[in-house]
Amino acid sequence: MMDALTPSRIVGARLPRWCLPAAWPVQASQPVLADLRVADGRIESIVPHAGEVVGDWSLDGAPLLPGLIEAHTHIDKAFTLPRLGALKPGLLAAIETMIADRQTWTVADVHARASRCLQWAYEAGVVKLRTHCDWWEPEGTPLAWNVLRDLASEWADRIALERVSLIALHLFAERSSARALAKAVAAGGAGACLGAFVHSTNWSVASLRHVFEAAEEFGLDVDLHCDEELNPQAEGLATTAALVREMAFSGRVVCGHACALATQSEPQAMATLDAVARAPITMVSLPTTNLLLQDAQTGRTPRQRGLTLVKEARARGIPLLISTDNVQDAFCRAGSFDPVEALAVGALAAQLEHPFDEWSESICRGDWLTRAPDAPPLRIGSTADFVIFSGADAHGWPTRAQSRVVLRGGRVAAGSVPATWQQAAETTR
Ligand SMILES: [Zn+2]
């Protein structure tokens, strides 16, 4: 049975090349459009479009992606900007501002701001969102951490909410304190990860080793803020890659930012990326905040852009995700928890070729964040979570990507279905 909000046959969808099988037919150097069947909220079939096939919706080439991923956000801090007053430029100044604002946080405040983040993400088509949570408590858990745990259950049927402790590396200086932190994080249950802020201002190989020892002991995956700076001496990423191999760490390791790679000599940066590929480590690039925070000084145009080496990473097969990072806080006034918007910024800043056919993978591969074996989305039998871009085409995407219809479990969850999709279906019936 089909009603207007639960189409069982969607024809003429344009899928990105990265999620099509190698044998998928090509016409005029473009992948043939796809016809999808959905039954009981799951994908029943995906086949090359046959001209005479009639669907409930006829997309006429509209781009379709699986449910989107926000791999790296800070929903504990989002939407604090209006109360912060005048801000100083740069990452370290923003950290100071947030430490001060954090003293005023209450359960109701964090819950209201973080809920708004999740609502925005849901409407954008996000199915999984990972947030970092500022954590300065050597003992006990931060107020926001517990609010986020509650939100993970509240939103469980709409967004898989993963939570990473964002802990300054110096708090791992003692092995015993590292164990205590990991134990507190592990008590957060499924979806909790151990994280640390790794920067040349707090650098210590011993502390980083303690992070991985403690994570291994408590069965935690690790997600680091790593080398978010333009100092070519920063060695967080290279050391992480070496430690992961040396310790045969069993969890998934994610390193966000890695801006310093862009300032290092070519041979040094490539050697680090080779080690990252072997480790293996998932990288996350955050173009919007890197553009705003790196090489930032009042009254001076930035010369360096701070993006990590996304193309060289992908060329080595490194899983690389692109995400939003901060939204309307001391770090960043931009962003909307729409991964497509983050990718659009990255597409310009990093001159990404083929944003839809290749780089859309960087906002869809939630499996690259966790220790389960990698499995691309849009498989037969998987949940019918789709984002269909009703105003865009695959050539110009993500231009005009704002208009979209989000399906969750085969049912429209956000956006309005263009009348032409159904009319086209009726006229060919
Ligand atoms: Zn971040």
Side-chain angles (χ1 to χ4, degrees), residues 38-246:
V38 175
D40 300 324
R42 294 189 173 274
I43 300 173
E44 195 177 57
S45 68
I46 302 177
V47 296
H49 179 55
E52 69 280 7
V53 173
V54 177
D56 300 316
W57 290 358
S58 182
L59 303 190
D60 193 26
L64 182 151
L65 290 178
L68 307 178
I69 306 300
E70 272 290 18
H72 180 133
T73 65
H74 295 262
I75 70 172
D76 58 335
K77 294 189 277 216
F79 301 123
T80 51
L81 182 64
R83 66 198 191 202
L84 296 179
L87 296 173
K88 291 191 200 129
L91 173 68
L92 300 180
I95 291 174
E96 291 304 316
T97 302
M98 286 314 309
I99 289 174
D101 186 73
R102 194 169 179 267
Q103 309 309 315
T104 71
W105 292 5
T106 63
V107 169
D109 169 51
V110 176
H111 190 276
R113 289 185 292 99
S115 299
R116 190 176 169 200
C117 305
L118 292 165
Q119 185 62 37
W120 285 21
Y122 181 71
E123 290 170 12
V126 170
V127 297
K128 174 177 182 151
L129 181 144
R130 174 170 285 194
T131 183
H132 296 255
C133 176
D134 276 28
W135 187 313
W136 293 95
E137 291 75 2
E139 286 162 25
T141 51
L143 174 145
W145 181 258
N146 300 323
V147 177
L148 294 172
R149 182 199 56 211
D150 293 346
L151 280 168
S153 346
E154 275 177 47
W155 281 79
D157 60 342
R158 286 162 288 172
I159 291 182
L161 175 58
E162 297 179 349
R163 294 146 290 133
V164 184
S165 61
L166 177 49
I167 302 172
L169 189 61
H170 65 79
L171 291 179
F172 293 93
E174 302 297 328
R175 189 173 272 123
S176 58
S177 41
R179 282 194 78 245
L181 287 165
K183 188 175 180 190
V185 169
C193 300
L194 189 62
F197 181 73
V198 178
H199 193 270
S200 59
T201 54
N202 66 12
W203 177 237
S204 156
V205 182
S207 300
L208 190 60
R209 183 181 290 276
H210 294 160
V211 172
F212 283 98
E213 284 174 358
E216 186 73 63
E217 180 179 348
F218 290 94
L220 293 165
D221 290 338
V222 171
D223 191 333
L224 305 174
H225 275 69
C226 202
D227 304 341
E228 187 181 357
E229 56 186 310
L230 298 174
N231 177 1
Q233 312 300 327
E235 54 189 297
L237 183 63
T239 308
T240 298
L243 278 177
V244 166
R245 290 278 284 188
E246 178 204 315

Side-chain angles (χ1 to χ4, degrees), residues 45 76 125 157 171 217 247 251-252 266 276 332 360 381 403 407 412 416:
S45 68
D76 58 335
D157 60 342
L171 291 179
E217 180 179 348
M247 299 169 67
R252 175 71 88 159
E266 200 78 3
V276 166
C332 183
S360 62
S403 305
L407 281 92
V412 174
S416 48

